[in-house]
Amino acid sequence: MAPKKRPETQKTSKIVLRPRSKRSRSPRELEPEAKKLCAKGSGPSRRCDSDCLWAGLAGPQILPPCRSIVRTLHQHKLGRASWPSVQQIGAGGSITGLKFNPLNTNQFYASSMEGTTRLQDFKGNILRVFASSDTINIWFCSLDVSANSRMVVTGDNVGNVILLNMDGKELWNLRMHKKKVTHVALNPCCDWFLATASVDQTVKIWDLRQVRGKASFLYSLPHRHPVNAACFSPDGARLLTTDQKSEIRVYSASQWDCPLGLIPHPHRHFQHLTPIKAAWHPRYNVIVVGRYPDPNFKSCTPYEMRTIDVFDGNSGKMMCQLYDPESSGISSLNEFNPMGDTLASAMGYHVLIWSQEEARTRK
């Protein structure tokens, strides 16, 4: 039975447009002003722990990101050497999953639409192919890696999930979902605990020691819409799911059959848009996710901006919104560094770097 939706106790932040005169203005006239406005928080009640990176950021925020930080770090380490790049794989071969090799940071694992999950280095050398479909009709959509158990797990577009060891030996290959497996995640504290998300509108929890077939899951978490992601919290005690419409859920390991909270949020699916996925802060119970304004969403306002929204993981209340007026695209993917003081946001052809120090100097 689908979980009951928690009543919304507090509305998300709104963008308020204030015309300078009573004369009605056209959308073309309003657009420049709307782009300059910033999303408003609701005050001190939306703050979290005072030591948290985002504490004190409630209220209007237009924080220009430090775009040069990645290149600066590279130059500091390698001098003026050429900027590294990964050899492209051509049209139709987009990367669907990417994980650094925890045993060698000069290498990474990648799943792709060309039909492989592989390990390669930054020079473009393929070191090992872990899975290959050998057909254009099947490709890999997700992957995860565990250094402790030395395992690699990957899912494809027809519902199969493959578990391998780091030597490339296949442990099992089973159809765990009816449709595409959009996300696979190994629990950071219990490597034998696996979460899989699918467009079949379910998230499933598995014990890798007891997998015998598609019906051997521990829990099945039904959703109203296809699911983009299912991510364990850094302590492994919670699970964050993002659907393809307007809902973010937080589950607890103590009660998988009912979510702790439901967060209404516009991030609808679009064919040519990288699926939007909510992510955890590595040190605090904070959730970050990109906003794709939806005119059909209950609290949508005219000219709503494509912000990066930050939520309290306990209450589900919005803490603040981040917005760069020079980069108004949709932030599909957001990832913190291990310390949690820097946030990288993927936005089309751009990557924005949000730095804690940069934010403070501009306040």
Side-chain angles (χ1 to χ4, degrees):
M1 184 174 67
K4 294 182 179 180
K5 189 171 181 179
R6 186 183 66 179
E8 197 172 346
T9 57
Q10 191 168 357
K11 291 184 178 181
T12 56
S13 59
K14 295 183 178 181
I15 300 172
V16 181
L17 301 181
R18 301 182 184 277
R20 294 181 180 177
S21 66
K22 295 182 179 179
R23 179 179 67 88
S24 177
R25 291 182 290 174
S26 68
R28 186 180 296 274
E29 292 175 300
L30 282 171
E31 187 173 3
E33 180 179 330
K35 288 183 177 180
K36 292 180 181 179
L37 289 176
C38 157
K40 294 183 178 181
S42 64
S45 63
R46 291 193 174 179
R47 299 184 184 183
C48 64
D49 190 309
S50 60
D51 293 330
C52 176
L53 166 64
W54 308 108
L57 289 185
Q61 297 296 324
I62 298 183
L63 304 178
C66 178
R67 294 180 180 79
S68 62
I69 188 170
V70 175
R71 189 177 294 273
T72 300
L73 289 174
H74 172 260
Q75 292 177 348
H76 174 74
K77 182 178 180 181
L78 300 178
R80 296 289 175 175
S82 59
W83 183 249
S85 61
V86 179
Q87 183 177 356
Q88 298 180 7
I89 56 179
S94 61
I95 299 296
T96 57
L98 190 71
K99 293 285 182 178
F100 279 104
N101 183 354
L103 306 179
N104 185 341
T105 55
N106 292 318
Q107 302 171 357
F108 62 92
Y109 294 85
S111 60
S112 73
M113 290 187 67
E114 70 170 358
T116 63
T117 293
R118 62 184 184 269
L119 174 66
Q120 69 177 79
D121 60 24
F122 286 99
K123 295 180 180 179
N125 299 315
I126 298 177
L127 307 177
R128 176 172 286 131
V129 176
F130 286 83
S132 177
S133 65
D134 297 321
T135 172
I136 61 173
N137 297 320
I138 299 177
W139 60 89
F140 294 95
C141 311
S142 51
L143 75 92
D144 200 6
V145 180
S146 170
N148 294 330
S149 59
R150 300 181 65 84
M151 291 189 301
V152 178
V153 60
T154 185
D156 67 21
N157 66 314
V158 293
N160 299 314
V161 177
I162 305 174
L163 181 70
L164 312 101
N165 62 27
M166 284 190 172
D167 294 327
K169 180 181 178 180
E170 183 179 295
L171 303 180
W172 46 253
N173 182 346
L174 299 170
R175 190 176 187 193
M176 292 181 160
H177 287 273
K178 297 178 181 178
K179 297 180 181 180
K180 179 194 296 185
V181 180
T182 55
H183 199 92
V184 293
L186 293 164
N187 190 294
C189 298
C190 300
D191 293 320
W192 45 265
F193 217 39
L194 171 70
T196 58
S198 173
V199 297
D200 66 8
Q201 301 183 24
T202 65
V203 171
K204 294 181 179 180
I205 308 296
W206 310 81
D207 183 339
L208 296 180
R209 303 167 300 179
Q210 301 176 10
V211 172
R212 298 293 182 270
K214 63 181 181 180
S216 59
F217 54 83
L218 297 178
Y219 301 94
S220 179
L221 316 178
H223 287 62
R224 298 183 181 93
H225 301 280
V227 186
N228 282 338
C231 307
F232 286 107
S233 59
D235 63 1
R238 295 189 178 191
L239 185 72
L240 175 67
T241 69
T242 313
D243 73 359
Q244 291 187 359
K245 184 65 174 179
S246 58
E247 191 174 77
I248 298 170
R249 297 187 182 188
V250 178
Y251 291 87
S252 172
S254 61
Q255 190 179 7
W256 288 119
D257 57 345
C258 183
L260 288 178
L262 305 179
I263 303 175
H265 183 267
H267 50 258
R268 66 192 188 279
H269 180 73
F270 177 60
Q271 181 180 0
H272 302 295
L273 175 69
T274 300
I276 296 175
K277 300 181 179 183
W280 292 102
H281 188 281
R283 299 177 63 190
Y284 299 96
N285 193 8
V286 170
I287 298 166
V288 61
V289 61
R291 173 177 290 257
Y292 183 12
D294 183 356
N296 297 318
F297 190 66
K298 182 178 179 181
S299 61
C300 183
T301 59
Y303 298 100
E304 187 169 279
M305 292 185 297
R306 298 167 175 176
T307 56
I308 299 169
D309 300 339
V310 182
F311 291 92
D312 184 322
N314 287 318
S315 65
K317 296 178 181 178
M318 186 181 294
M319 297 164 57
C320 69
Q321 293 176 291
L322 305 178
Y323 177 70
D324 177 15
E326 296 180 6
S327 301
S328 58
I330 299 169
S331 180
S332 295
L333 303 175
N334 296 277
E335 189 75 24
F336 286 97
N337 70 341
M339 292 301 295
D341 58 2
T342 301
L343 172 67
S345 301
M347 185 181 294
Y349 291 100
H350 305 283
V351 176
L352 306 185
I353 306 297
W354 304 88
S355 167
Q356 182 178 21
E357 292 302 319
E358 288 286 321
R360 286 175 176 172
T361 57
R362 286 172 167 81
K363 288 182 71 175

